[in-house]
Amino acid sequence: MGIKVYGSMVSIATLRVLLCLAEKDLVFELINVDLASGEHKRPHILARNPFGQIPAFEDDDIKLFGNQ
Ligand SMILES: N[C@@H](CCC(=O)N[C@@H](CS)C(=O)NCC(=O)O)C(=O)O
């Protein structure tokens, strides 16, 4: 339930999303994805972003992701 962002505080793309959510004063949960260990290429992230990149955004049934 609620807004979930799968990402990392060392990811500029993640920080862009978090900035927008903060500007709108929205409550969200950041689920850390460890880029250094390649976690973004593992199945639980690929299921949320088939390009294997972060961030991936979920708000109940709304699922968003980007790519290059
Ligand atoms: N246009 C995408 C870019 C996402 C992106 O480049 N994410 C980087 C981290 S900042 C990433 O996942 N890099 C790992 C990779 O490409 O394997 C977005 O804004 O969501």
Side-chain angles (χ1 to χ4, degrees), residues 5 10 21 25 32 37 44-45 49 53 60-63:
V5 180
V10 300
L21 294 172
D25 207 20
N32 187 64
S37 70
H44 68 289
I45 299 302
N49 183 342
Q53 291 192 321
D60 296 330
D61 288 343
I62 299 171
K63 301 180 193 306

